Amino acid sequence: AREERLAEQGAGLRDTKACPLCGVRTEKTGGCNHMTCQRCGADWCWMCGAKLEDVTAHYYFGGPLACGQFDDFEPCSPLSYTIRLVTLPLQILSLLLFLLLSLTVLVWFPLVYIVLMPCYFNVWKCSMPAGALKCVMLCSVVLAFVPFVIFQVSWTLAAALVWCVLQLCGAERRHLSHMVRAPMIAILPVLIWCQVLIEYMSVRPEPNEDDEARGGSE
């Protein structure tokens, strides 16, 4: 009877993982891989079991080696290792390609500026509207990253073929989704840092009240 109870307890703990802080077992029935312990309140990752100090940094700033927040397949299974073996070199290539194409903006910007300048330049006032440079920059970015869009579309078709083969090993649609979005996951940290940098540069410092009072008294 004791052996049967231990066997039942072992079967019940088979699909659970322990909190890295207090050790309480948790069963994941769905949702994302960000877990919150009901006893101690610690945030931890279901994929790697690590305690999370910063959830966003863990899932999105790790690049190709980061855990997926919404990956719901077992990370230690042979199928998961196979998918990572396929997608990891692709993610590294995607990151390098994205950084290389980012440098081509420096080439596209003057070319687009020369082409669009006659459309915006006011000969009589010898000036250009304020939104002209934004339009030039937008066109330069679009032209610079067209190859990456083509790369993503090509990989989507290739991932579909790989997934058809992996179906023989039990691959499901969620595995196809993971493979298709692998290039975008790789460049996501760069996009987030660029957004933070743009927002930081666009924020104008508020005038100091003492400076305003001093200017008014003068």
Side-chain angles (χ1 to χ4, degrees):
R2 182 173 180 273
E3 293 180 355
E4 292 179 357
R5 287 198 302 270
L6 292 176
E8 292 177 356
Q9 292 177 0
L13 297 176
R14 184 176 303 167
D15 297 327
T16 64
K17 293 184 179 181
C19 169
L21 192 63
C22 66
V24 169
R25 308 292 299 188
T26 301
E27 180 182 9
K28 182 175 180 289
T29 57
C32 70
N33 293 313
H34 169 212
M35 311 299 291
T36 301
C37 181
Q38 297 299 318
R39 172 181 288 182
C40 64
D43 295 318
W44 57 284
C45 176
W46 178 265
M47 297 284 285
C48 64
K51 184 179 181 299
L52 303 182
E53 301 296 338
D54 190 329
V55 177
T56 302
H58 181 79
Y59 289 114
Y60 296 106
F61 288 173
L65 299 178
C67 298
Q69 186 172 3
F70 298 99
D71 293 342
D72 55 352
F73 50 90
E74 179 56 44
C76 296
S77 65
L79 180 59
S80 176
Y81 279 119
T82 303
I83 293 177
R84 280 187 173 267
L85 185 64
V86 173
T87 57
L88 183 58
L90 174 81
Q91 288 181 306
I92 296 175
L93 177 62
S94 302
L95 185 58
L96 295 177
L97 178 62
F98 184 83
L99 295 176
L100 179 63
L101 293 176
S102 300
L103 297 178
T104 63
V105 175
L106 302 176
V107 179
W108 282 111
F109 184 84
L111 296 177
V112 175
Y113 182 84
I114 294 173
V115 173
L116 295 182
M117 185 178 66
C119 302
Y120 289 99
F121 188 75
N122 190 330
V123 179
W124 303 107
K125 296 182 179 180
C126 193
S127 63
M128 294 179 65
L133 289 179
K134 292 183 179 180
C135 180
V136 172
M137 176 58 71
L138 178 61
C139 294
S140 302
V141 171
V142 170
L143 292 172
F145 290 104
V146 164
F148 191 86
V149 176
I150 298 175
F151 175 78
Q152 175 66 61
V153 173
S154 302
W155 165 245
T156 301
L157 299 176
L161 296 177
V162 174
W163 176 72
C164 291
V165 177
L166 292 178
Q167 276 187 305
L168 301 176
C169 302
E172 301 177 5
R173 290 184 179 179
R174 63 177 184 265
H175 299 107
L176 175 61
S177 175
H178 176 81
M179 289 191 294
V180 168
R181 56 193 174 92
M184 296 304 300
I185 293 177
I187 66 173
L188 189 58
V190 181
L191 295 177
I192 294 176
W193 282 114
C194 289
Q195 181 182 1
V196 172
L197 181 61
I198 292 173
E199 291 179 353
Y200 175 79
M201 295 178 63
S202 61
V203 174
R204 296 181 178 178
E206 297 181 358
N208 193 349
E209 295 181 357
D210 295 337
D211 295 339
E212 291 181 354
R214 189 181 300 109
S217 61
E218 292 177 356

